[in-house]
């Protein structure tokens, strides 16, 4: 019979199950922190995530379709959130001069203010990570990157801008290498969200 990670009998015998449960706890922490930030601004969690995303990414990525992939949601759900953000004058539309049916979103001054403050919503998770040793951080990052890559490969999550899915990424003599930056990448330098990322075919 298939074993559930949440079945305590098996969980306490299996490290993989305890890691799954630990990740679930951490995702709960993100959910609560994001929810608190949203409530403060009378917005929904996804509306806050959209504002933060626009704040840190180039305009060609700030489109409904791209945001839907980024947050694993339908275009209709993202469009609903965008409508609210437009009505609250937190974002504006910039029509693509080449394709007038397409537009990207940018922040208004008020949207910028909220996004800037909200972007710190996960700081209380970063603080305890700072207390880990460099070795622990490296092992943790490496394990998480591999997990994210596998989940991406099996279609469970989208992760569009990490080194492992980039056409510039290469392995040379067993070391990670970036053909764009022309440099080796240490395990701790592998990026999750790179502005230069180019999707590999
Ligand atoms: S361009 Fe960015 S994502 Fe691509 S391999 Fe280099 S560092 Fe990684």
């Amino acid at each position: 019979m298939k074993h559930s990670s949440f079945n305590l009998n098996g969980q306490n015998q299996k490290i993989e199950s305890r890691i799954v449960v630990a990740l679930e706890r951490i995702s709960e922490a993100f959910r609560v922190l994001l929810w608190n930030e949203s409530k403060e601004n009378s917005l929904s969690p996804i509306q806050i995530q959209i504002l933060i995303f626009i704040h840190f990414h180039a305009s060609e990525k700030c489109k409904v379709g791209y945001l839907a992939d980024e947050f694993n949601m339908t275009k209709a759900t993202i469009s609903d959130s965008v409508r609210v953000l437009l009505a609250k004058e937190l974002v504006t539309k910039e029509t693509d001069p080449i394709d007038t049916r397409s537009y990207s979103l940018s922040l208004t001054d008020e949207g910028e203010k909220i996004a800037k403050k909200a972007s710190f919503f996960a700081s209380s998770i970063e603080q305890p990570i700072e207390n880990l040793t460099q070795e622990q951080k490296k092992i943790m990052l490496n394990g998480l990157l591999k997990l994210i890559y596998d989940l991406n490969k099996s279609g469970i999550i989208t992760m569009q801008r990490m080194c492992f899915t980039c056409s510039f990424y290469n392995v040379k003599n067993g070391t990670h290498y970036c053909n764009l930056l022309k440099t080796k990448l240490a395990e701790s330098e592998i990026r999750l969200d790179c502005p230069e990322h180019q999707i590999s075919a």
Side-chain angles (χ1 to χ4, degrees):
M1 207 175 76
K2 226 176 152 199
H3 162 83
S4 160
S5 304
F6 300 97
N7 180 335
L8 297 187
N9 292 329
Q11 186 190 110
N12 292 326
Q13 311 300 322
K14 216 170 164 232
I15 189 167
E16 292 85 349
S17 297
R18 274 171 282 144
I19 292 172
V20 169
V21 173
L23 289 170
E24 199 228 6
R25 292 273 166 86
I26 291 168
S27 80
E28 279 300 308
F30 271 99
R31 195 183 58 78
V32 169
L33 292 169
L34 186 58
W35 183 247
N36 291 342
E37 192 64 48
S38 316
K39 267 195 306 193
E40 247 183 62
N41 294 290
S42 306
L43 293 170
S44 70
I46 183 62
Q47 287 159 2
I48 285 287
Q49 285 176 294
I50 292 172
L51 293 181
I52 297 173
F53 185 90
I54 297 173
H55 183 54
F56 290 113
H57 293 87
S59 68
E60 71 267 14
K61 295 189 173 84
C62 301
K63 296 183 174 182
V64 170
Y66 197 98
L67 293 168
D69 283 349
E70 178 73 18
F71 296 111
N72 299 289
M73 288 185 172
T74 63
K75 278 190 190 176
T77 309
I78 295 291
S79 295
D80 285 346
S81 289
V82 167
R83 249 192 300 280
V84 174
L85 295 173
L86 285 164
K88 293 194 170 191
E89 298 184 351
L90 299 176
V91 296
T92 52
K93 281 182 185 181
E94 281 171 18
T95 309
D96 185 334
I98 298 160
D99 176 6
T100 48
R101 289 165 307 169
S102 170
Y103 63 86
S104 58
L105 297 159
S106 58
L107 297 173
T108 60
D109 288 349
E110 185 58 19
E112 188 84 33
K113 213 167 85 189
I114 294 176
K116 217 167 166 180
K117 183 189 160 285
S119 70
F120 291 95
F121 86 91
S123 303
S124 47
I125 297 178
E126 188 158 333
Q127 274 160 20
I129 295 175
E130 280 168 15
N131 296 333
L132 300 175
T133 64
Q134 279 309 316
E135 198 51 30
Q136 287 172 321
K137 287 181 213 172
K138 232 162 67 183
I139 293 169
M140 188 186 266
L141 178 65
N142 201 251
L144 288 171
L145 286 169
K146 287 195 174 115
L147 178 61
I148 291 166
Y149 182 64
D150 283 348
L151 291 174
N152 173 248
K153 284 275 150 218
S154 52
I156 295 170
I157 54 169
T158 53
M159 173 47 66
Q160 312 193 67
R161 299 174 301 277
M162 79 188 297
C163 290
F164 297 159
T165 61
C166 178
S167 58
F168 295 119
Y169 172 76
N170 209 342
V171 180
K172 280 189 182 172
N173 306 323
T175 7
H176 309 285
Y177 192 83
C178 173
N179 287 327
L180 179 75
L181 305 173
K182 307 242 176 293
T183 180
K184 283 183 192 169
L185 297 166
E187 298 266 328
S188 55
E189 291 171 330
I190 297 289
R191 296 180 182 184
L192 259 173
D193 191 350
C194 173
E196 267 78 49
H197 179 274
Q198 193 170 284
I199 201 96
S200 52

